[in-house]
């Protein structure tokens, strides 16, 4: 069992999990250590760090804008890794990026570089499950996380969850990320079905931005992923106020 999987399974046995997403370098890479510390203090079980990319097909406008701000400050995957090799996190880090970035770097090189960091997993939303063999053989202890969409039929859910690592990222909407989403009436039943198949934690993500939504999804899932709400708050209110906002959501 990969370290990320074991850590999150152990934690989920006694509490609901909160996994935040932020865009690495959106406020400048020098701010990233401070942001990581804030998220840990706010109760993060793990932290997703976005890698800016020119064509982020799964990202809504808030995260796209954050990626553009990172690009304006010449943030690259190489610079993110170099910083993470100097920064210690007391919770696992997860890099979320697109396949082009990781393949261009080289999967084996990436795994070797990340072995010197606290990164324990990757999320690659545009890598089909059928092509995961292009990656997993070179990852070592890094977990490759699986996304399960709303349109996945029962047989597909069974396939996707069978060899999943870290946690199952259960996508709650059809489309892109972003706060203010409307949810399907049968969403909780779908999430319960994913949970029934999975032997690792299942976290709901996409569009989650308030305490009522968190409590709703916690009924059937092991926790939630919150991204756009945090990314927007960091841009508009800064690190300290964002930490207060997160704590209010999880009171």
């Amino acid at each position: 069992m990969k370290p990320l999987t074991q850590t999150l399974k152990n934690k989920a046995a006694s509490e609901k999990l909160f996994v935040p997403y932020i865009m690495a370098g959106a406020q400048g890479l020098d701010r990233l250590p401070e942001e990581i510390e804030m998220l840990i203090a706010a109760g993060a079980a793990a932290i997703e760090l976005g890698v800016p990319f020119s064509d982020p097909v799964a990202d809504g406008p808030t995260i796209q804008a954050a990626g553009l701000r990172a690009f304006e400050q010449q943030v690259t995957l190489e610079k993110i890794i170099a910083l993470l090799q100097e920064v210690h996190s007391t919770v696992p880090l997860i890099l979320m990026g697109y396949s082009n970035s990781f393949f261009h770097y080289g999967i084996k090189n990436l795994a070797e570089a990340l072995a010197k960091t606290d990164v324990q997993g990757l999320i690659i939303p545009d890598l089909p499950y059928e092509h995961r063999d292009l990656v997993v053989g070179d990852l070592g202890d890094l977990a490759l996380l699986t996304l399960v969409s709303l349109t996945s039929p029962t047989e597909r859910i069974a396939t996707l969850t069978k060899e999943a690592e870290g946690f199952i990222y259960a996508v709650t909407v059809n489309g892109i990320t972003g706060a203010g989403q409307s949810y399907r009436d049968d969403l909780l039943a779908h999430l319960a079905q994913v949970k029934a198949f999975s032997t690792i934690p299942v976290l709901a993500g996409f569009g989650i931005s308030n305490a009522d939504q968190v409590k709703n999804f916690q009924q059937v899932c092991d926790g939630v992923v919150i991204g756009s709400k945090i990314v927007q708050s960091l841009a508009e209110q800064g690190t300290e106020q964002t930490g207060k906002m997160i704590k209010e959501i999880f009171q």
Side-chain angles (χ1 to χ4, degrees):
M1 186 178 292
K2 299 289 181 75
L4 178 64
T5 310
Q6 189 67 65
T7 296
L8 295 182
K9 282 191 72 169
N10 291 345
K11 197 170 186 66
S14 59
E15 62 185 85
K16 295 296 184 180
L17 305 181
F18 159 53
V19 175
Y21 166 96
I22 60 173
M23 177 62 69
Q27 281 69 239
L29 272 180
D30 60 323
R31 291 274 298 277
L32 187 58
E34 173 190 324
E35 292 168 353
I36 290 172
E37 286 301 316
M38 177 273 293
L39 294 169
I40 294 170
I47 300 170
E48 294 179 22
L49 300 177
V51 178
F53 185 61
S54 58
D55 187 22
V57 293
D59 296 334
T62 298
I63 294 177
Q64 286 188 26
L68 290 175
R69 292 197 302 275
F71 273 134
E72 288 170 359
Q73 299 178 74
Q74 286 79 52
V75 174
T76 62
L77 176 58
E78 289 80 2
K79 290 181 181 179
I80 293 170
I81 293 172
L83 177 65
L84 294 179
Q85 288 176 341
E86 303 298 325
V87 173
H88 175 61
S89 170
T90 55
V91 304
L93 304 177
I94 300 165
L95 282 190
M96 184 169 184
Y98 291 87
S99 54
N100 194 356
S101 300
F102 296 140
F103 282 120
H104 180 74
Y105 193 96
I107 301 302
K108 187 173 288 188
N109 291 337
L110 181 68
E112 291 175 355
L114 293 179
K116 303 171 186 175
T117 73
D118 291 310
V119 175
Q120 294 186 12
L122 300 177
I123 299 175
I124 313 177
D126 62 339
L127 180 71
Y129 175 82
E130 287 73 19
H131 294 162
R132 68 195 306 273
D133 288 346
L134 296 174
V135 174
V136 292
D138 291 324
L139 287 184
D141 283 339
L142 286 173
L144 179 64
L145 281 70
T146 298
L147 286 85
V148 176
S149 74
L150 275 178
T151 57
S152 298
T154 301
E155 289 184 4
R156 181 69 170 173
I157 293 172
T159 298
L160 292 174
T161 56
K162 187 176 181 181
E163 298 179 11
E165 303 168 338
F167 68 85
I168 297 291
Y169 197 134
V171 179
T172 57
V173 298
N174 288 322
I176 57 177
T177 62
Q181 302 276 10
S182 57
Y183 297 112
R184 281 181 8 182
D185 292 338
D186 63 345
L187 176 56
L188 291 187
H190 166 77
L191 294 173
Q193 184 182 40
V194 176
K195 175 69 176 165
F197 276 104
S198 181
T199 60
I200 64 175
V202 175
L203 275 65
F206 279 39
I208 300 172
S209 61
N210 60 56
D212 288 342
Q213 290 170 339
V214 169
K215 290 174 183 175
N216 194 36
F217 291 127
Q218 284 178 341
Q219 296 178 65
V220 293
C221 291
D222 298 293
V224 297
V225 177
I226 301 181
S228 295
K229 180 78 171 179
I230 295 173
V231 170
Q232 183 174 359
S233 180
L234 284 171
E236 296 177 354
Q237 302 186 70
T239 308
E240 183 177 350
Q241 290 302 315
T242 300
K244 292 179 180 178
M245 179 268 293
I246 294 170
K247 290 177 181 178
E248 288 173 358
I249 290 176
F250 287 93
Q251 278 183 347

